[in-house]
């Protein structure tokens, strides 16, 4: 007489992590691509802002979570990219070329600033990056012939792609989404490739990596410039979406909010800062309007709660499997 064999849950076949992650990424991308089809125009515009700010936070996460260089002036490159893209669009160069010009300008500023900043560490690095951000904001506020001064650059034309003017919330969203995915993919490849291993080695033990023959200052400078270029791409997308660039976009508040998004979402994760950026934008722009202008207070409370309850960020939550 035979008995039916039962399969223990631990022996059941499971999807490999790579397949599971790829499936999740594909599903998330499809949901994002279809969002304008079921969201109202205002919600679509809000989601577009989230994508822009999410790319900025993800670029900062390369410095904070991978290289171990927390910056308080990362919005400087965001603002430079936004101004360069807006200025070129106002003078007849729009679309992808304007984004490339914004990235190039941001990378150049990051190269100059990083050549000094990456030689420092700890509090000194923080203060240097803070100074870079403040200097950039002051330059944007005073260089009226180029930046428009305190009024900023307004009336930025909508981006064009193959002759099509992307001036509707849905078309602007898809335009931003496409380059958001490109920027996020570039950051992920940089953090998971052999280069990412070197960057983490510099973060964990710079002296050991130097003893192994790596020129750690150049390694950190390369990461600094790359993160600045991606922040410049996010700035160019801001100019395309907002049609307005102001000195505040390059200021300390923007840098602080980006760093807050990284901490809330989880450093070292490629999608956590994007989730943190979504929470920051929703609390600041949506809930803040219903709290009589107390959005910053709500953000502060959110930060305190995350630090105490989820010190490693939302992305590092591990759900326990229920015992069978």
């Amino acid at each position: 007489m035979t008995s039916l064999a039962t399969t223990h849950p631990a022996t059941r076949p499971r999807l490999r992590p790579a397949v599971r992650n790829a499936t999740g990424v594909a599903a998330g991308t499809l949901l994002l691509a279809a969002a304008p089809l079921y969201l109202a125009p205002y919600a679509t515009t809000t989601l577009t802002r989230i994508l822009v700010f999410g790319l900025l936070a993800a670029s900062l996460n390369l410095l904070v979570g991978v290289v171990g260089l927390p910056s308080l002036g990362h919005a400087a490159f965001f603002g430079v990219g936004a101004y360069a893209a807006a200025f070129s669009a106002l003078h007849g160069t729009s679309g992808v070329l304007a984004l490339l010009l914004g990235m190039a300008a941001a990378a150049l500023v990051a190269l100059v600033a990083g050549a000094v900043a990456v030689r420092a560490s700890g509090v000194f690095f923080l203060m240097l990056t803070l100074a870079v951000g403040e200097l950039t904001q002051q330059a944007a506020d005073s260089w009226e012939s180029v930046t428009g001064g305190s009024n900023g650059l307004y009336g930025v034309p909508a981006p064009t792609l193959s002759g099509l003017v992307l001036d509707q919330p849905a078309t602007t969203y898809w335009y931003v989404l496409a380059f958001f995915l490109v920027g996020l993919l570039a950051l992920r490849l940089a953090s998971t490739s052999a280069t990412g291993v070197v960057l983490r080695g510099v973060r964990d033990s710079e002296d050991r990596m130097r003893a192994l023959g790596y020129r750690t200052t150049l390694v950190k400078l390369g990461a600094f410039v790359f993160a600045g270029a991606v922040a410049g791409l996010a700035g160019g997308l801001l100019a395309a979406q907002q049609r307005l660039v102001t000195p505040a976009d390059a200021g300390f508040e923007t840098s602080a909010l980006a760093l807050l998004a990284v901490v809330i979402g989880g450093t070292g994760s490629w999608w956590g800062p994007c989730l943190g950026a979504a929470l920051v934008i929703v609390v600041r722009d949506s809930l803040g309007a219903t709290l009589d202008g107390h959005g910053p207070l709500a953000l502060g409370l959110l930060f305190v709660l995350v630090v105490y309850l989820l010190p490693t960020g939302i992305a590092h939550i591990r759900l326990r499997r229920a015992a069978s």
Side-chain angles (χ1 to χ4, degrees):
M1 185 175 182
T2 60
S3 60
L4 294 176
T6 59
T7 303
H8 193 273
T11 64
R12 292 173 185 168
R14 296 176 182 173
L15 288 176
R16 293 182 178 181
V19 176
R20 188 167 59 247
N21 291 339
T23 303
V25 169
T29 302
L30 288 176
L31 286 175
L32 286 174
L37 302 179
Y38 55 83
L39 291 179
Y42 176 78
T44 300
T45 302
T46 301
L47 188 55
T48 307
R49 290 201 304 271
I50 289 174
L51 293 178
V52 172
F53 195 66
L55 186 58
L56 171 64
S59 67
L60 177 59
N61 178 62
L62 180 68
L63 296 180
V64 178
V66 179
V67 194
L69 295 174
S71 172
L72 288 176
H74 201 61
F77 317 122
F78 180 67
V80 168
Y83 272 110
F87 186 84
S88 61
L90 287 169
H91 289 79
T93 302
S94 185
V96 178
L97 184 55
L99 292 180
L100 293 176
L101 290 174
M103 289 182 65
L108 180 60
V109 173
L111 177 62
V112 175
V116 177
V118 298
R119 299 178 185 276
S121 60
V123 176
F124 297 103
F125 179 83
L126 280 174
M127 292 300 100
L128 284 173
T129 55
L130 176 62
V132 169
E134 290 300 305
L135 287 172
T136 304
Q137 184 178 14
Q138 288 301 317
D141 197 36
S142 58
W143 199 1
E144 293 189 9
S145 60
V146 175
T147 65
S150 58
N151 293 324
L153 291 179
Y154 53 88
V156 179
T160 58
L161 193 62
S162 300
L164 177 65
V165 180
L166 309 178
D167 57 352
Q168 298 299 316
T171 55
T172 302
Y173 170 82
W174 283 318
Y175 175 78
V176 171
L177 175 63
F179 287 100
F180 165 81
L181 293 175
V182 170
L184 199 62
L185 178 61
L187 290 169
R188 177 162 172 75
L189 290 176
S191 62
T192 57
S193 64
T195 302
V197 175
V198 175
L199 294 176
R200 288 182 173 84
V202 172
R203 176 196 64 190
D204 296 336
S205 180
E206 185 172 351
D207 292 336
R208 181 176 297 176
M209 296 299 291
R210 191 181 295 114
L212 291 174
Y214 289 98
R215 303 177 67 180
T216 57
T217 300
L218 290 181
V219 170
K220 291 190 292 184
L221 179 59
F224 195 87
V225 173
F226 181 70
V230 178
L233 172 61
L237 295 176
L238 174 75
Q241 183 270 323
Q242 191 170 265
R243 317 281 176 81
L244 167 70
V245 183
T246 66
D249 295 322
F252 171 74
E253 182 178 352
T254 304
S255 295
L257 289 176
L259 186 58
L260 178 63
V262 172
V263 173
I264 291 175
T267 60
S269 166
W270 65 276
W271 61 270
C274 299
L275 179 58
L279 290 175
V280 168
I281 293 298
V282 169
V283 171
R284 186 192 68 177
D285 296 350
S286 298
L287 294 182
T290 63
L291 297 175
D292 296 328
H294 292 90
L297 177 61
L299 278 176
L301 292 175
L302 176 63
F303 176 71
V304 172
L305 288 175
V306 169
V307 167
Y308 276 96
L309 300 179
L310 302 170
T312 58
I314 298 174
H316 298 289
I317 297 176
R318 293 292 183 266
L319 299 178
R320 297 180 179 178
R321 295 179 180 272
S324 57

